[in-house]
Amino acid sequence: MSAGGWGWLILLFPLWGTILISLFWRLLPRRTAGWLGSAAILGSFVASLGAFFSIQSDDVHHRVVESNAFDYVKTAGVNVDLGI
């Protein structure tokens, strides 16, 4: 996986954990919300390690990563992308 893909996972793991806990907190047993939150942060950490090792395989001068999801605004010379 590319470093840009790892970067999106770094952001998405805590988001997914937050959404799951906020939607199902009443249905979850006592400590499950804490375990889900911790698992989301652990997933984000593992994804950051994947991004780190993916970048380390590149040459020192080529260690810049940019990943764009889509064009947010594109009008009259103003281009705004949603990306990391």
Side-chain angles (χ1 to χ4, degrees):
M1 181 182 293
S2 69
W6 288 114
W8 286 107
L9 285 177
I10 292 169
L11 296 175
L12 288 177
F13 275 123
L15 177 66
W16 290 334
T18 302
I19 290 171
L20 280 175
I21 292 170
S22 65
L23 290 177
F24 301 112
W25 67 275
R26 290 186 182 174
L27 303 174
L28 297 174
R30 292 183 58 212
R31 295 186 181 197
T32 307
W35 285 104
L36 281 174
S38 298
I41 299 303
L42 178 65
S44 183
F45 175 71
V46 170
S48 67
L49 288 178
F52 175 74
F53 290 121
S54 175
I55 290 173
Q56 287 298 318
S57 64
D58 292 340
D59 187 31
V60 175
H61 301 289
H62 296 97
R63 290 185 183 169
V64 177
V65 178
E66 182 178 320
S67 177
N68 293 324
F70 60 87
D71 293 333
Y72 189 69
V73 175
K74 195 171 200 175
T75 180
V78 177
N79 296 328
V80 179
D81 298 329
L82 176 69
I84 56 172

